[in-house]
């Protein structure tokens, strides 16, 4: 296995881990929010729900504007920007993805 293929696999497993972990985190956040309402434990504002749903936004562009920068040239409109929404479960998913990649390679 060459170096380029290994780097591509690493990026693939990291991105898949982040996506799957983020989706699972949102699903668990909704589940624990509903359980919090059923058990009178603060509703959607309980601590377990907040751990899974609270995210750490990361934007590339202007720090005071979360939306992308738009350049309107009359005939063409260009938007520049990049944003991540990382939560606790997506970080766990990334770690699990790297672990799976480590043990799924050719030997």
């Amino acid at each position: 296995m060459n170096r380029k293929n290994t780097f591509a696999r690493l990026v693939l497993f990291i991105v898949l881990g982040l996506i799957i972990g983020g989706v699972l985190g949102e699903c668990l956040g909704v589940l624990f929010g509903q359980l919090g309402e059923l058990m009178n434990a603060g509703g959607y504002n309980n601590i377990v729900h907040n751990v899974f749903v609270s995210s750490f936004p990361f934007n590339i562009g202007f720090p005071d504007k979360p939306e992308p920068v738009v350049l309107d040239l009359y005939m063409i409109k260009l938007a520049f920007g990049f944003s991540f929404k990382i939560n606790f479960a997506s970080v766990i998913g990334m770690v699990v993805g790297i672990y799976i990649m480590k043990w799924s390679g050719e030997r």
Side-chain angles (χ1 to χ4, degrees):
M1 196 177 277
N2 59 11
R3 185 176 183 271
K4 184 178 177 182
N5 191 10
T6 304
F7 182 72
R9 283 187 69 222
L10 176 66
V11 170
L12 176 72
F13 276 90
I14 288 174
V15 169
L16 285 175
L18 285 171
I19 291 171
I20 292 171
V23 170
L24 286 175
E26 292 290 328
C27 292
L28 287 173
V30 169
L31 175 74
F32 286 123
Q34 290 178 352
L35 282 175
E37 281 189 353
L38 289 174
M39 298 174 63
N40 293 329
Y44 277 90
N45 197 17
N46 62 35
I47 187 71
V48 180
H49 172 265
N50 291 339
V51 164
F52 282 108
V53 176
S54 63
S55 62
F56 309 102
F58 178 73
N59 299 319
I60 295 176
F62 293 113
D64 57 341
K65 289 179 62 178
E67 63 268 359
V69 177
V70 177
L71 178 63
D72 192 1
L73 299 173
Y74 182 68
M75 291 183 64
I76 192 167
K77 187 182 283 191
L78 301 171
F80 301 100
F82 199 70
S83 177
F84 285 113
K85 182 182 173 189
I86 298 174
N87 59 15
F88 178 71
S90 62
V91 173
I92 299 296
M94 180 183 65
V95 171
V96 169
I98 293 171
Y99 183 76
I100 290 172
M101 188 207 79
K102 178 183 174 186
W103 294 107
S104 69
E106 295 177 19
R107 297 183 189 248

